[in-house]
Amino acid sequence: MSPLHHTFGVRTARLGFPLMLTGAWLAGCAPGSDLTPIPRYDPASYTIGVGDRINISTFGENQFQTDARVPVDGSIAFPLIGMVKAEGLTAGELGQSVATTLKDQHILSNAKVTVQVVEYRPVSVIGEVEHGGQFAYQPGMTMLKAVAAAGGFSYRAFQDYAYVVRQEPGGAVVGRIEPQDYVKPDDVIKVYERHF
């Protein structure tokens, strides 16, 4: 190896190592880099929560229906059968529960009950977006769609992932959410500011 090549190689190695360290340091300093990914959410597994507005109807029986927002205690009133637990159930499970109760109380022997979530709890988006606030949740909404509802990223936004607080049956869970991940009603998403 010529002296020139040797000198160039040594200088490159000397410069390369600090650059590698700088890159690793910057990656480690990315906002929220210490957060673990939030568990993946499947919209098909959605369970009704406090604040959702639901409609329960019985096929061919107009008097057996209700449209109500789920209160803090998680139960709603249904004609003739009284209070019915809704929180924590899927729409199908709630429909089956109402149908079974109607049958057990000898009100309707073969009720076909349909449950629909008319209005979900909103999603909140804050931080480096154009218009932070609460936005209507739509089934299949991703983090990127939630950000779009907030007017899109600001020019200072860190766009690779965001911070999220999610309410689960055992309490609030905090983690990292990526642009294509599904959001869940009542999620609070914070878009970070870039550090560089």
Side-chain angles (χ1 to χ4, degrees), residues 53-54 109 125 148 185:
R53 186 163 70 89
I54 59 174
S109 59
V125 186

Side-chain angles (χ1 to χ4, degrees), residues 43 123 135-143 145-146 149 181-184:
V123 171
F135 304 93
Y137 171 84
Q138 299 296 328
M141 180 181 261
T142 61
M143 180 204 125
K145 287 181 180 177
D181 290 343
Y182 290 118
V183 299
K184 186 176 180 181

Side-chain angles (χ1 to χ4, degrees), residues 71-89:
V72 175
D73 68 5
S75 297
I76 58 167
F78 192 79
L80 294 183
I81 64 175
M83 301 307 290
V84 179
K85 178 173 170 54
E87 183 185 13
L89 300 178

Side-chain angles (χ1 to χ4, degrees), residues 55-79:
N55 179 277
I56 306 175
S57 58
T58 306
F59 181 74
E61 303 287 345
N62 290 338
Q63 71 272 31
F64 294 108
Q65 62 179 353
T66 190
D67 189 297
R69 194 170 296 280
V70 180
V72 175
D73 68 5
S75 297
I76 58 167
F78 192 79

Side-chain angles (χ1 to χ4, degrees), residues 98-174:
V98 171
T100 300
T101 305
L102 286 168
K103 182 178 180 181
D104 290 348
Q105 294 187 10
H106 307 290
I107 298 169
L108 289 174
S109 59
N110 192 24
K112 293 182 174 32
V113 179
T114 303
V115 177
Q116 180 181 11
V117 180
V118 178
E119 185 182 322
Y120 293 88
R121 291 162 286 158
V123 171
S124 299
V125 186
I126 59 175
E128 292 301 326
V129 290
E130 292 299 327
H131 310 289
Q134 289 190 331
F135 304 93
Y137 171 84
Q138 299 296 328
M141 180 181 261
T142 61
M143 180 204 125
L144 201 56
K145 287 181 180 177
V147 169
F153 291 110
S154 75
Y155 72 92
R156 298 182 303 270
F158 181 81
Q159 300 182 20
D160 293 353
Y161 53 81
Y163 171 96
V164 64
V165 179
R166 176 168 293 169
Q167 299 302 321
E168 297 289 8
V173 177
V174 173

